[in-house]
Amino acid sequence: MLSTRTSEEEEISCPQCTNIYSFPVLLECGHNICKLCLQNFWEWKKSKECPVCGCESFCGTPPINQDLTIAVEQFQKRKAMAQEICQIHNEKLKIFCNSDEVPICLVCQLSKDHRMHKCSPVEEAAQQKKAEMTAILESLRKKVRTMSKTKHQWEETKAYLETQGEQIELAVKEEFLQLHQFLKEEEERRLRDLREEKGKKIQVMYSKIEDIEEDIKTLNSTISKLDIVLRAKDLPFLKEYKETKQRVRRNIQEPESIRGILIDSAKHLGILKFAVCKKMLSTVKYSSVILDPNTAHYNLKLSEELTRLQYSNKQNLPDNPERCTSRMCVLGASGFTSGKHSWTIEVGQSKDWYIGVARESIKRKSTTFMSPEEGYWVIGQCSKDSIWVQTSPRSRVSVKQVPKKITVQVDYEKGKVAFVNAADSAVMHKFKEKFSEKIYPYFSVGLCEEWKNSIPLTICPVSMKVVPENA
């Protein structure tokens, strides 16, 4: 909507910015313009032209138009005074209508438009409204501080993403390098076996060929001698007949039929990929639970393909919402909303640990008691030989021998979480709960003064077999 301007305002308005003059200067051509507007225009134009008529000015800095400056000041004073006067009743605005949130005069207050409204003196209303606006201003400043802090955290996260991506890329390359190395060594071994078999069987054929060549040579000699005997006269022939016959029968032998002399193609090529994969599987570890680095405390180090955790020196990690910072813990990468699950943890000689499951909604930034009410179903050891169930209050578990490996068994539908001593299959404790949200495997270790000597918790690998479907 276009605002209406009086002729007086038009006369004291800058032709460049269209606002009321601010330090108006008088050009040689007679036009007036704000000092700052002229400077900006000349810098942009690269010449001292008038923004109105284009006439070039040859003098230095144009002088301030004192008469126009006085006129502007007088206009602003009249305008300020006019703003304090009621436009309807020409009375001073001394009252503030809280209902309509506008200043009014005493006559307006008695009129039908404001008679029923709650009003207060301008001074009192101004103090109250300024207090309100001050509170809003402080709220906005607080929001800016929060957003600035968040921006800083996001910048740190962005920088960490670069590092994290590079670290994961190196780890992936290392894993594939090992796989490539395995395949290369397996290829070389199989080719070596092939060449060895090929060499041995070719050597056998060399020997057989040499033998048969000897036999052919002998037979040819016999044939030559027999030709001579056959050309002899009857009586000499008959005298040599018996001996000749025996010699001929002794030398005539059928060539040997050599079985299994060809290379065993089935051994070297038969379901080669399956055989290599089966052998590779024997070198691969599988774990039913993988740790999630994005939930790990700053002082936790994860290793062994994210199946081992131990206390370490503090790492520079972003404080993302998933990360657990209130406890020295980490969650599994995958949660459960159904089904049966189990995994075994090797606690070894560690004297300070907690294991079990936790709700997805646990408080990760503030400390709470580890109990089912707070979303934890865990057991732990915090002294040399004592294992405790984290209930309210916690209770001690009676065990025949301190376990080195513990199996956690979860049945989501039945709401069961059981802890079994892997050494003797004895059930140490069993929680009974009705789960209402996703739960995650939970692992925690204690502090260690010498972090390099900290004892890790390890998720035990599961043995795997490759069996044909119809076996």
Side-chain angles (χ1 to χ4, degrees):
M1 181 177 177
L2 295 175
S3 60
T4 57
R5 299 172 65 131
T6 63
S7 57
E8 185 180 9
E9 284 181 283
E10 292 289 345
E11 290 178 359
I12 59 173
S13 295
C14 174
Q16 183 71 4
C17 65
T18 69
N19 295 325
I20 302 298
Y21 281 117
S22 175
F23 298 104
V25 293
L26 180 62
L27 300 177
E28 294 178 5
C29 59
H31 289 114
N32 294 286
I33 191 168
C34 293
K35 184 177 181 180
L36 183 58
C37 291
L38 183 64
Q39 290 175 353
N40 293 335
F41 181 78
W42 281 1
E43 287 179 5
W44 171 75
K45 195 71 175 177
K46 306 298 182 185
S47 63
K48 294 184 177 183
E49 294 181 8
C50 172
V52 181
C53 63
C55 292
E56 190 170 355
S57 178
F58 297 100
C59 64
T61 303
I64 298 291
N65 190 330
Q66 297 295 340
D67 294 337
L68 187 54
T69 300
I70 293 171
V72 168
E73 291 175 353
Q74 290 175 348
F75 173 79
Q76 289 176 337
K77 286 180 180 179
R78 290 195 301 273
K79 188 174 181 181
M81 290 178 64
Q83 289 176 348
E84 297 179 1
I85 300 299
C86 175
Q87 298 296 317
I88 301 174
H89 305 106
N90 202 28
E91 296 284 340
K92 279 195 173 185
L93 302 173
K94 294 183 178 182
I95 306 297
F96 183 78
C97 176
N98 291 288
S99 301
D100 292 339
E101 295 186 330
V102 292
I104 58 176
C105 68
L106 291 171
V107 180
C108 290
Q109 184 182 13
L110 299 174
S111 67
K112 63 177 181 178
D113 293 334
H114 299 280
R115 189 180 303 152
M116 304 302 295
H117 292 175
K118 185 178 180 181
C119 300
S120 57
V122 166
E123 294 79 5
E124 180 183 322
Q127 188 176 0
Q128 180 185 353
K129 299 305 178 184
K130 282 181 179 180
E132 290 179 7
M133 295 308 296
T134 300
I136 294 173
L137 179 62
E138 183 55 34
S139 174
L140 293 175
R141 284 173 176 162
K142 184 178 179 181
K143 186 175 291 186
V144 168
R145 288 194 295 270
T146 301
M147 294 179 72
S148 298
K149 183 179 178 181
T150 302
K151 175 178 174 287
H152 179 67
Q153 291 175 342
W154 287 357
E155 287 172 345
E156 288 183 340
T157 301
K158 176 177 171 290
Y160 175 73
L161 283 171
E162 295 285 345
T163 305
Q164 185 186 32
E166 292 172 1
Q167 290 174 345
I168 294 175
E169 184 176 336
L170 288 174
V172 169
K173 287 181 178 179
E174 179 63 28
E175 292 296 329
F176 273 93
L177 187 62
Q178 294 179 17
L179 294 175
H180 295 161
Q181 184 65 27
F182 170 85
L183 291 173
K184 183 180 179 182
E185 291 174 357
E186 183 66 13
E187 177 189 8
E188 290 174 351
R189 187 191 66 78
R190 287 179 173 271
L191 290 176
R192 188 168 57 250
D193 291 347
L194 172 62
R195 294 186 188 112
E196 184 178 343
E197 182 182 353
K198 172 186 171 184
K200 286 180 179 179
K201 291 188 172 180
I202 288 177
Q203 190 61 41
V204 169
M205 292 310 301
Y206 272 129
S207 178
K208 295 294 183 183
I209 291 171
E210 286 178 359
D211 291 343
I212 201 168
E213 284 178 347
E214 244 351 275
D215 290 342
I216 292 171
K217 184 178 180 181
T218 302
L219 282 174
N220 284 332
S221 176
T222 302
I223 290 170
S224 298
K225 291 178 180 179
L226 189 57
D227 281 340
I228 295 172
V229 170
L230 288 173
R231 288 197 296 271
K233 292 182 179 182
D234 294 345
L235 188 57
F237 169 75
L238 291 174
K239 286 182 177 181
E240 298 291 332
Y241 172 73
K242 186 177 181 180
E243 185 181 346
T244 303
K245 183 179 178 181
Q246 290 175 351
R247 190 188 309 128
V248 170
R249 284 180 176 176
R250 185 171 61 246
N251 290 329
I252 298 176
Q253 295 180 0
E254 290 296 326
E256 179 186 356
S257 179
I258 307 174
R259 289 183 175 276
I261 194 63
L262 296 181
I263 293 174
D264 190 352
S265 300
K267 171 187 173 184
H268 298 290
L269 292 176
I271 53 172
L272 178 59
K273 296 184 182 70
F274 174 81
V276 173
C277 286
K278 187 175 181 181
K279 185 174 181 180
M280 181 185 289
L281 195 61
S282 65
T283 67
V284 175
K285 293 181 180 179
Y286 171 75
S287 175
S288 56
V289 171
I290 303 297
L291 304 175
D292 184 2
N294 294 337
T295 66
H297 189 275
Y298 306 112
N299 286 90
L300 282 185
K301 177 184 178 183
L302 308 184
S303 58
E304 295 295 319
E305 297 183 303
L306 303 181
T307 60
R308 176 179 292 178
L309 69 149
Q310 66 186 116
Y311 181 79
S312 180
N313 60 330
K314 188 174 181 180
Q315 303 171 78
N316 186 20
L317 301 172
D319 187 18
N320 49 300
E322 302 87 357
R323 193 170 307 284
C324 300
T325 57
S326 61
R327 295 187 183 276
M328 205 66 58
C329 66
V330 62
L331 302 181
S334 299
F336 318 124
T337 55
S338 63
K340 296 179 179 180
H341 310 271
S342 70
W343 57 94
T344 301
I345 304 100
E346 182 178 352
V347 296
Q349 301 297 322
S350 178
K351 305 303 179 187
D352 194 350
W353 51 264
Y354 290 95
I355 58 174
V357 296
R359 278 199 304 248
E360 184 177 27
S361 61
I362 58 171
K363 295 179 180 179
R364 307 190 185 196
K365 309 298 181 182
S366 57
T367 303
T368 56
F369 184 73
M370 286 191 294
S371 66
E373 291 76 17
E374 295 294 338
Y376 297 87
W377 295 269
V378 299
I379 66 171
Q381 182 175 346
C382 56
S383 61
K384 188 174 182 181
D385 298 315
S386 300
I387 294 179
W388 299 84
V389 177
Q390 292 303 114
T391 52
S392 298
R394 68 175 187 167
S395 58
R396 189 169 180 173
V397 179
S398 177
V399 292
K400 295 179 180 179
Q401 56 180 336
V402 178
K404 297 295 184 291
K405 293 183 180 180
I406 300 174
T407 299
V408 181
Q409 298 175 343
V410 177
D411 189 328
Y412 192 93
E413 279 76 15
K414 292 184 178 180
K416 291 182 179 179
V417 181
F419 299 88
V420 180
N421 189 335
D424 56 10
S425 298
V427 177
M428 302 167 61
H429 183 76
K430 186 182 292 183
F431 284 100
K432 187 74 172 102
E433 185 68 43
K434 186 176 181 180
F435 300 122
S436 58
E437 63 175 274
K438 185 179 285 189
I439 57 176
Y440 286 83
Y442 178 89
F443 309 87
S444 176
V445 296
L447 303 177
C448 182
E449 291 183 5
E450 293 292 334
W451 61 266
K452 292 183 180 179
N453 299 325
S454 61
I455 299 174
L457 298 185
T458 304
I459 302 169
C460 299
V462 180
S463 59
M464 296 184 296
K465 292 182 180 179
V466 177
V467 180
E469 193 172 335
N470 58 353

